[in-house]
Amino acid sequence: MGRVFIVDLDGRSYRCRFCDTPLALADHLLSRSFNCRQGRAYLFSNVVNITLGPQEERIMLSGLHTVEDIFCCCCGQILGWKYVVAHDKNQIYKEGKFVLERWRITDDVAEELNLDVHAGSSDTESS
């Protein structure tokens, strides 16, 4: 196995909860209204620093899909799946998109928003 090179993301991003590897930019988030067995999941147009598992047919709430599981390239944790083929023509928009399970990722977006709120509130209190 060769050396693993990590793609660093410039901007607000989502990261692996287990090893903090950057996975996706907030700008690539398409939908927050997806679900997985463990709860919420997010749909992304692009993710990085992953490896893909073998293709398999999986019956989901929206029908039959061919998917590949997504794993973190650093720690190997499963993060979600990639839609390869949607067998229902109403689900074609998912093809080539990535789903990251919410409980398996962290985001800089919330942290930056919290820092801004705290910074703003401390300025107000000191005035």
Side-chain angles (χ1 to χ4, degrees):
M1 181 176 192
R3 183 175 177 181
V4 176
F5 289 93
I6 303 300
V7 176
D8 196 21
L9 298 175
D10 189 25
R12 298 179 313 168
S13 63
Y14 292 86
R15 300 176 165 275
C16 176
R17 178 175 299 280
F18 306 100
C19 68
D20 206 39
T21 299
L23 299 170
L25 287 170
D27 293 342
H28 294 156
L29 178 64
L30 299 174
S31 175
R32 289 187 173 104
S33 63
F34 277 69
N35 291 299
C36 62
R37 290 184 192 137
Q38 300 291 326
R40 308 292 293 162
Y42 293 169
L43 182 69
F44 289 89
S45 60
N46 189 37
V47 297
V48 296
N49 300 322
I50 60 163
T51 57
L52 297 170
Q55 288 186 8
E56 63 180 61
E57 301 290 320
R58 199 175 288 167
I59 297 178
M60 301 182 156
L61 292 175
S62 58
L64 180 64
H65 297 277
T66 303
V67 298
E68 297 171 321
D69 285 330
I70 298 171
F71 300 90
C72 177
C73 71
C74 288
C75 68
Q77 286 288 327
I78 188 166
L79 300 170
W81 63 91
K82 176 184 178 184
Y83 287 105
V84 179
V85 177
H87 298 282
D88 180 351
K89 66 180 179 181
N90 293 330
Q91 301 296 314
I92 296 288
Y93 74 95
K94 294 178 182 178
E95 289 182 358
K97 306 296 189 303
F98 303 85
V99 174
L100 297 178
E101 296 180 16
R102 184 65 188 107
W103 74 277
R104 296 179 186 272
I105 59 175
T106 60
D107 59 83
D108 296 342
V109 177
E111 292 172 9
E112 285 182 16
L113 292 175
N114 288 339
L115 290 175
D116 291 342
V117 169
H118 292 303
S121 63
S122 65
D123 289 342
T124 305
E125 292 174 353
S126 62
S127 297

